[in-house]
Amino acid sequence: MKNGWADRKKVIGKSEADEISDPKDGLVRNGLEKLITLPCQPEQDRAYSRTMVEFDPARLIRRVAASQDRDAFAELFEHYAPRIKAMMIRRGASRDRAEDLAQETLIKLWRKAAQYDPERAAASAWVYAIARNISVDESRREGRATAWAEEDGMLEDQHNDEPESQLLVAEREAYVRSSIGALPEEQLRVIRLSFFDGLAHGEIANLLGIPLGTVKSRIRLALQRLRDRVGELK
Amino acid sequence: MTDAIAHHPTDETLAAFASGTLDEARGLVVSMHLSLCAACSRKVEGYEAIGGELLEQATPLSMEPGALRNVLRLIEEDFAAPETGPKQPLDRYQLGPWRWVGPGVRQRSVSVPEVSNIKVFMLKAAPGTRLPYHRHAGYEWTCVLEGAFEHQFGRYGPGDFDEADETMEHKPTVCDGDPCICIVALQGNIVLQSRLGRIIQPLLRL
Ligand SMILES: [Zn+2]
């Protein structure tokens, strides 16, 4: 059940985007919209749990590692590739290049699946690290692009404004999620610019028109808050 | 050895590493520290969890039709190439030969492409060597691999990480025992303070 809430939130976010071309996405979204208005309706609950709740990336990665399971891989692909594509664009890749890099990341995921240790890292953190490495290699290959250096609103704020009690049953990932959601906007912004958009601290300062020291202290404060809430962030 | 590490990168540096925004030279020196320091590796994993969550929250962008098929085909063609085991951070770089640069001091280049005047090299210094008193024009990040040196901020042994910038002057001395081997990312030129230093500076090629 641990991904249910997150995925619901994500799909709601997606319905606001202009990028829904996959008819399957549309179906899922409609189902969820009903689910949200009629949360106890059993039909929708079944559809919901079949499409979203069972998404368990850690298990899927293990299946890929153990038996080169293509169905498991396809599920991972459908979930992560479109998000990695968004991340690559934020990190300065063209749309075409972002598409390639997202595919490259998933190929890497396939090859490295046996190295994934679910005891050590959440699947999302592990996938992020692979994508980050590919993005870093790319920017070293290409020299740093600067075309993206503006906030284009592609990543709309999906602030977590739900009561905290909804998150208490979930696992550590959920704490990271809620902690990020609870950051003050100005801290969340620099964290996102750094971790997702891949901007160096000096670049963030230029983009936001604030002193480098302010960027550094916001990041420091954010990390401190995250650590306080998540403990050691193991 | 791991628990003997006393000097670590700052949290801010580890977070920059986790987000992939350090330049390659500094990133490599941090990787060397991480390969020796379990505590900082755990912190980086924690920061990667932040990245992972931001990835989960990202608004997806549709992939091209046939993207999955394309990837499966590429995997099919390259089926026999699973990656096993972690690579050591230095594995992807060529190391130059050890060159004499001064009494008791040798240096070898690490083939990190030079970006904005940042060089990476390894330094090997004999026990008791006093490195010239110097100041930095930019930063100098060091990770000790073997042996130890000390300066006014403490003793630096295997795994220890030293972030020096243009605000510091220091005069490291190699401790007794084994030769000290470090990996260093250096930005700009160091400014040697002594006359002898100025004479040997060209030899150091720094
Ligand atoms: Zn450390």
Side-chain angles (χ1 to χ4, degrees), chain A residues 15-27:
Chain A
S15 71
E16 289 157 12
D18 57 354
E19 281 294 332
I20 299 162
S21 59
D22 187 345
K24 224 169 59 199
D25 285 346
L27 282 176

Side-chain angles (χ1 to χ4, degrees), chain B residues 1 125 144-149 155-160 174-181:
Chain B
M1 274 314 214
V144 179
L145 305 178
E146 293 174 27
F149 67 80
R155 183 180 196 276
Y156 293 74
D160 276 321
V174 178
C175 301
D176 291 337
D178 299 321
C180 179
I181 300 179

Side-chain angles (χ1 to χ4, degrees), chain B residues 28-186:
Chain B
L28 174 56
V29 178
V30 173
S31 303
M32 296 300 289
H33 174 78
L34 294 173
S35 70
L36 298 164
C37 180
C40 288
S41 299
R42 270 199 305 277
K43 277 191 184 176
V44 167
E45 283 164 8
Y47 297 145
E48 285 169 350
I50 296 171
E53 184 47 36
L54 293 174
L55 184 63
E56 292 290 354
Q57 289 179 5
T59 305
L61 281 182
S62 301
M63 296 292 285
E64 296 297 323
L68 174 59
R69 229 176 314 122
N70 184 48
V71 164
L72 285 169
R73 185 180 53 77
L74 289 168
I75 284 168
E76 216 63 69
E77 285 169 3
D78 197 22
F79 187 63
E83 284 187 22
T84 51
K87 290 202 176 80
Q88 290 304 305
L90 269 177
D91 284 355
R92 57 194 288 184
Y93 302 104
Q94 286 188 326
L95 302 178
W98 285 110
R99 285 190 331 234
W100 186 92
V101 289
V105 184
R106 284 168 189 275
Q107 184 193 358
R108 78 195 304 183
S109 62
V110 179
S111 66
V112 176
E114 189 179 327
V115 187
S116 49
N117 205 18
I118 305 164
K119 293 186 257 286
V120 183
F121 54 87
M122 291 171 78
L123 209 59
K124 177 155 73 177
T129 307
R130 284 162 184 277
L131 294 172
Y133 196 51
H134 63 276
R135 206 151 34 81
H136 300 277
Y139 60 75
E140 180 190 58
W141 288 16
T142 303
C143 180
V144 179
L145 305 178
E146 293 174 27
F149 67 80
E150 58 192 351
H151 56 54
Q152 73 267 39
F153 298 112
R155 183 180 196 276
Y156 293 74
D160 276 321
F161 185 89
D162 190 16
E163 257 173 72
D165 63 26
E166 65 277 8
T167 63
M168 301 175 184
E169 294 186 6
H170 61 209
K171 184 184 184 179
T173 302
V174 178
C175 301
D176 291 337
D178 299 321
C180 179
I181 300 179
C182 313
I183 184 161
V184 183
L186 180 77

Side-chain angles (χ1 to χ4, degrees), chain A:
Chain A
M1 292 303 265
K2 70 177 173 174
N3 286 297
W5 161 244
D7 282 313
R8 197 166 78 175
K9 198 150 67 78
K10 267 171 264 162
V11 175
I12 295 164
K14 187 198 285 193
S15 71
E16 289 157 12
D18 57 354
E19 281 294 332
I20 299 162
S21 59
D22 187 345
K24 224 169 59 199
D25 285 346
L27 282 176
V28 170
R29 190 189 70 218
N30 292 338
L32 279 169
E33 277 164 354
K34 282 192 197 136
L35 174 70
I36 290 151
T37 46
L38 300 165
C40 296
Q41 212 202 30
E43 288 287 312
Q44 294 301 336
D45 260 339
R46 260 204 304 283
Y48 177 62
S49 64
R50 193 174 61 246
T51 50
M52 304 308 287
V53 174
E54 284 171 13
F55 180 73
D56 177 351
R59 218 188 68 225
L60 294 170
I61 294 166
R62 284 204 302 275
R63 271 167 56 193
V64 169
S67 56
Q68 288 81 49
D69 184 328
R70 276 141 176 85
D71 292 336
F73 180 74
E75 273 191 69
L76 291 162
F77 187 95
E78 271 162 29
H79 182 80
Y80 284 117
R83 290 174 170 81
I84 292 164
K85 185 174 178 178
M87 171 170 151
M88 294 303 181
I89 287 179
R90 296 294 299 183
R91 288 183 166 232
S94 69
R95 270 186 120 71
D96 285 352
R97 197 63 197 135
E99 169 83 22
D100 292 347
L101 294 173
Q103 293 190 20
E104 204 182 304
T105 304
L106 270 291
I107 291 171
K108 200 88 173 172
L109 181 153
W110 172 280
R111 291 196 190 137
K112 289 172 93 77
Q115 289 176 41
Y116 173 59
D117 177 1
E119 306 278 289
R120 227 184 142 91
S124 60
W126 185 73
V127 174
Y128 170 80
I130 295 175
R132 173 206 60 204
N133 289 347
I134 283 183
S135 155
V136 163
D137 286 347
E138 170 74 358
S139 57
R140 280 168 193 168
R141 252 196 313 270
E142 299 296 320
R144 204 113 172 81
T146 47
W148 41 261
E150 49 193 271
E151 296 266 6
D152 59 10
M154 196 178 80
L155 281 178
E156 274 153 36
D157 187 26
Q158 292 161 33
H159 223 70
N160 178 4
D161 53 6
E162 289 299 306
E164 216 180 308
S165 59
Q166 292 205 22
L167 296 160
L168 288 177
V169 288
E171 298 172 14
R172 203 191 99 243
E173 289 170 75
Y175 282 101
V176 177
R177 180 178 313 137
S178 70
S179 303
I180 287 173
L183 287 177
E185 184 52 38
E186 56 176 31
Q187 289 174 24
L188 178 63
R189 202 163 186 215
V190 292
I191 286 288
R192 191 176 272 155
L193 287 169
S194 170
F195 281 87
F196 197 74
D197 297 8
L199 291 182
H201 299 167
E203 295 172 310
I204 296 173
N206 288 339
L207 177 67
L208 300 182
I210 56 177
L212 179 59
T214 308
V215 172
K216 286 173 182 282
S217 70
R218 283 184 191 173
I219 286 177
R220 212 162 32 234
L221 285 169
L223 296 178
Q224 217 164 47
R225 284 181 78 116
L226 291 169
R227 229 187 353 262
D228 289 349
R229 288 180 61 111
V230 188
E232 268 293 282
L233 265 180
K234 270 180 54 174

